[in-house]
Amino acid sequence: MSTERTGSRVMTGVRCLLALVLVGMAYGAEPRVAIALVDGVASESGDTALFRLTRSGDADSALSVDIALSGSAVAGNDYQDPGATVAFAAGVHSTDLLIRPLDDRLDEGDTPETVIVELQAGSGYILGDTRSAMASIADNDTAGLVLGELSGPTREADGSATPQTVTVALSCQPSDDVVVNLDSSDASEAVVDTDLDAGYQQETTLFFTAGNWSTPQSVQVFAVDDDYDDGNVPFRIRASVASDAPAIEYRGVPVASIGGTCEDDDTAGVVVPQATIVVHEDAHEDATYANHF
């Protein structure tokens, strides 16, 4: 047998083998699956993150790909749980996975939480080179104090008989208890009392928990009835969080305040009491007159 004939047969065998490999790849080989990040910035305000899974090779049949979720965000708490699999419909080479954040009422800080989607080995496919991708979820809550408006005018004439009220609540759910202190910027014009029993009790503290944080609590505001004609004097009711509050995210939040005016009921003037004048008509006889002012 000549060398030329032997070489020809070898080349023919190689071509046949290659053809069989190509046919197998086209019709029998498992598809290769990869993942890519399309939109990696989500937020509790409604923005979603988008991952895209692709498969190369055979796409004739439906395919279910296993995934694992990790990161600082927790499925079911911080975003809707998408499940443990992603499905490809028959004839489809790509499919999308949406991460939908849940709008909680917690101040989770300025650092976004992360969501990592990682492809897992499974039946009917092989893993490609890109097996994981990461997105972030931005928070939309800020710890703070919310004050309502004064319920009405603050008048010296009302004194302690008719106090006005202002409400206080928290802006988001605390991780622990929060102690709020109240005071007046000018205690000579108005004072506060968190005890709603009759009269001025001199209580100045409110307590909030994870259960009542959004329920406004009332604070009484009493005018101080002085004896001075000092006009209508402005003041502010101030609310501040105790520096050692158990809820760490509430420590150091700005002081919240609401303005009011103490309406005076005094008028400057001269009061002359009733007097009696004695007039002597002569050295021996007195006459008496009464004067009134």
Side-chain angles (χ1 to χ4, degrees):
M1 183 181 295
S2 67
T3 303
E4 181 178 349
R5 183 176 297 178
T6 301
S8 176
R9 288 179 178 178
V10 171
M11 289 303 298
T12 300
V14 170
R15 291 190 186 98
C16 291
L17 179 59
L18 181 58
L20 289 174
V21 171
L22 292 174
V23 169
M25 291 179 62
Y27 296 100
E30 294 180 337
R32 185 179 296 271
V33 179
I35 188 171
L37 185 63
V38 177
D39 185 350
V41 180
S43 75
E44 290 184 3
S45 300
D47 297 327
T48 58
L50 177 63
F51 297 84
R52 180 161 295 159
L53 280 68
T54 57
R55 60 175 172 175
S56 58
D58 181 19
D60 291 342
S61 302
L63 178 66
S64 180
V65 177
D66 296 333
I67 62 171
L69 302 168
S70 60
S72 58
V74 178
N77 289 337
D78 299 303
Y79 59 95
Q80 295 180 18
D81 191 342
T85 60
V86 177
F88 285 83
V92 172
H93 284 274
S94 67
T95 188
D96 291 339
L97 172 65
L98 278 176
I99 297 297
R100 297 179 173 88
L102 296 174
D103 188 11
D104 58 30
R105 298 303 302 274
L106 298 171
D107 182 353
E108 295 160 314
D110 297 330
T111 302
E113 295 181 301
T114 58
V115 180
I116 301 172
V117 180
E118 185 175 5
L119 303 182
Q120 303 294 295
S123 176
Y125 62 90
I126 58 176
L127 297 178
D129 294 333
T130 307
R131 303 181 182 185
S132 66
M134 182 176 71
S136 63
I137 299 176
D139 189 30
N140 65 346
D141 301 293
T142 302
L145 300 173
V146 181
L147 268 64
E149 298 291 333
L150 276 168
S151 59
T154 306
R155 303 185 181 98
E156 284 188 10
D158 296 334
S160 61
T162 311
Q164 302 304 320
T165 59
V166 62
T167 59
V168 183
L170 304 185
S171 62
C172 61
Q173 182 178 335
S175 60
D176 208 325
D177 295 344
V178 176
V179 179
V180 177
N181 297 318
L182 282 299
D183 72 349
S184 168
S185 63
D186 189 345
S188 67
E189 296 294 334
V191 292
V192 298
D193 185 11
T194 59
D195 188 334
L196 301 185
D197 290 339
Y200 177 45
Q201 306 295 319
Q202 302 184 51
E203 295 293 335
T204 59
T205 303
L206 295 175
F207 298 92
F208 291 92
T209 67
N212 73 350
W213 65 272
S214 63
T215 302
Q217 298 189 40
S218 294
V219 178
Q220 296 183 113
V221 180
F222 293 88
V224 177
D225 189 9
D226 57 31
D227 294 324
Y228 303 102
D229 180 7
D230 52 0
N232 297 336
V233 181
F235 62 87
R236 299 194 71 82
I237 300 303
R238 301 177 298 200
S240 59
V241 175
S243 60
D244 58 349
I248 297 176
E249 70 276 15
Y250 271 89
R251 295 180 185 176
V253 301
V255 174
S257 67
I258 190 72
T261 300
C262 184
E263 298 180 7
D264 195 22
D265 66 347
D266 301 295
T267 302
V270 178
V271 178
V272 179
Q274 179 176 314
T276 299
I277 301 175
V278 179
V279 178
H280 298 277
E281 290 185 352
D282 53 38
H284 306 286
E285 197 171 328
D286 295 338
T288 303
Y289 300 88
N291 71 322
H292 302 277
F293 295 89

